[in-house]
């Protein structure tokens, strides 16, 4: 298994200034992980700081930690020209990082259509926007992807439909093994439905409860409550999910820790647990 780490795991330390991207690359180089994906949770930062991107790309090569995926937000609900242009410029950032995969959103994380008619009209605009982004990605030799993420474009059926509607050979899926729970889909169904369309995989784990025992729990569309945790400590069937992922050994698999446990210890434990589950 090609196991790596998402910078999303370090978001709190990076936001506080305790670590920067160079420090994260050094940490990953000293860990069992073999690559990194860069999540632009700070929005336009990498668009506006080309020197940071250049130095990180050089340092990644120097320490032997490939940057495989670059993840950004996005809102293509109206196929707005300015938003498409911004995503094209983010693709240029991915190219400068040396990433071969680019993941973008198509709507704000919490947005959900009011009815089927709104979904259908929005879906048509999203297809147009994804096609435009994927076409620029192809010019750069990059695979453009959508993640099963948030409340709108989530669930295996919606993502499968989108990939086929966009109809570009370099438009695929960044498959998150846990996110389908947000829309009430069993993780095994999500993984089985999307594994053949995946260009990369994200691993996380959740505690799942029928009632929220306190603050910080996310309510799903199915009425369950989720709380991120160390991989292997939650309620996902990670052995079964990772076995399915193992049928696609060339896919880069990246840890995405989002629990309350202390970082970086929780990242270390998650990596150890994942490697133990796959017998590495």
């Amino acid at each position: 298994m090609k196991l790596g780490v998402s910078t999303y795991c370090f978001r709190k330390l990076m936001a506080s200034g305790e670590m920067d991207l160079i420090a994260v690359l050094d940490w990953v180089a000293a860990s069992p992980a073999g690559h990194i994906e860069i999540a632009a949770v700070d929005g336009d930062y990498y668009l506006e700081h080309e020197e940071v991107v250049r130095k990180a790309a050089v340092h990644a090569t120097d320490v032997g930690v490939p940057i495989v995926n670059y993840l950004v937000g996005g809102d293509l609900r109206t196929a707005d020209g300015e938003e498409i242009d911004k995503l094209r410029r983010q693709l240029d950032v991915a190219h400068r990082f040396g990433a071969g995969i680019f993941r973008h959103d198509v709507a704000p994380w919490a947005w959900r259509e009011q009815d089927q008619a709104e979904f259908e009209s929005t879906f048509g605009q999203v297809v147009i926007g994804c096609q435009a982004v994927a076409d620029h990605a192809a010019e750069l030799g990059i695979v453009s992807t959508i993640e099963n993420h948030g409340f709108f474009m989530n669930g295996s059926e919606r993502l499968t439909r989108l990939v086929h509607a966009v109809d570009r050979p370099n438009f695929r899926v960044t498959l998150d093994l846990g996110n389908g729970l947000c829309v009430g889909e069993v993780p095994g169904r999500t993984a089985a439905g999307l594994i053949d369309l995946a260009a990369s995989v994200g691993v996380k784990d959740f505690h799942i409860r029928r009632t929220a025992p306190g603050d910080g729990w996310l309510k799903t569309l199915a009425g369950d409550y989720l709380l991120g945790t160390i991989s292997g400590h939650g309620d996902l069937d990670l052995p079964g999910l990772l076995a399915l992922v193992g049928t696609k050994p060339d896919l880069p698999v990246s840890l995405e820790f989002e629990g309350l446990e202390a970082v970086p210890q929780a990242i270390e434990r998650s990596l150890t647990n994942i490697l133990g589950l796959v017998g590495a």
Side-chain angles (χ1 to χ4, degrees), residues 22 45-57 96:
I22 298 297
Y45 179 80
Y46 297 118
L47 269 177
E48 298 167 352
H49 293 82
E50 187 172 339
E51 184 65 11
V52 172
V53 175
R54 187 192 67 80
K55 289 182 178 179
R96 288 194 287 272

Side-chain angles (χ1 to χ4, degrees), residues 184-236:
E185 185 169 77
V186 177
R189 179 178 179 183
T190 302
L194 296 176
I195 190 66
D196 288 336
L197 300 176
S200 65
V201 176
V203 180
K204 59 163 62 89
D205 206 349
F206 289 117
H207 297 299
I208 307 171
R209 300 290 183 271
R210 288 300 301 167
T211 57
D215 294 334
W217 292 72
L218 169 69
K219 187 176 183 180
T220 73
L221 295 186
D224 295 321
Y225 291 85
L226 307 178
L227 182 68
T229 189
I230 292 170
S231 291
H233 288 191
D235 296 312
L236 268 67

Side-chain angles (χ1 to χ4, degrees), residues 20-228:
D20 60 9
L21 184 52
I22 298 297
V24 172
L25 284 164
D26 287 339
W27 189 96
V28 174
S31 79
H35 67 256
I36 195 169
E37 65 172 30
I38 296 177
V41 294
D42 37 16
D44 297 343
Y45 179 80
Y46 297 118
L47 269 177
E48 298 167 352
H49 293 82
E50 187 172 339
E51 184 65 11
V52 172
V53 175
R54 187 192 67 80
K55 289 182 178 179
V58 171
H59 194 71
T61 299
D62 289 344
V63 299
V65 178
I67 299 170
V68 301
N69 197 0
Y70 179 54
L71 292 74
V72 303
D75 187 355
L76 295 175
R77 290 176 294 170
T78 62
D80 177 75
E82 289 187 9
E83 184 72 2
I84 291 172
D85 179 67
K86 182 177 179 180
L87 287 173
R88 286 176 175 143
R89 289 185 288 117
Q90 288 279 29
L91 265 165
D92 295 338
V93 172
H95 186 61
R96 288 194 287 272
F97 271 132
I101 305 170
F102 176 71
R103 189 230 74 169
H104 66 86
D105 289 328
V106 298
W109 183 88
W111 187 79
R112 180 80 175 185
E113 75 280 357
Q114 295 183 353
D115 52 36
Q116 189 64 26
E118 185 176 32
F119 172 80
E120 294 297 338
S121 61
T122 304
F123 182 84
Q125 295 300 300
V126 165
V127 170
I128 294 170
C130 288
Q131 288 173 331
V133 175
D135 287 344
H136 184 57
E139 296 171 358
L140 300 173
I142 292 175
V143 176
S144 182
T145 73
I146 176 72
E147 181 180 347
N148 52 313
H149 182 66
F151 287 135
F152 170 57
M153 194 50 62
N154 200 344
S156 55
E157 291 184 2
R158 288 191 174 190
L159 266 75
T160 298
R161 180 180 172 189
L162 180 62
V163 170
H164 288 296
V166 172
D167 193 25
R168 297 292 190 272
N170 69 316
F171 184 71
R172 308 287 286 176
V173 171
T174 288
L175 165 60
D176 187 291
L177 296 179
N179 279 352
L181 287 166
C182 294
V183 293
E185 185 169 77
V186 177
R189 179 178 179 183
T190 302
L194 296 176
I195 190 66
D196 288 336
L197 300 176
S200 65
V201 176
V203 180
K204 59 163 62 89
D205 206 349
F206 289 117
H207 297 299
I208 307 171
R209 300 290 183 271
R210 288 300 301 167
T211 57
D215 294 334
W217 292 72
L218 169 69
K219 187 176 183 180
T220 73
L221 295 186
D224 295 321
Y225 291 85
L226 307 178
L227 182 68

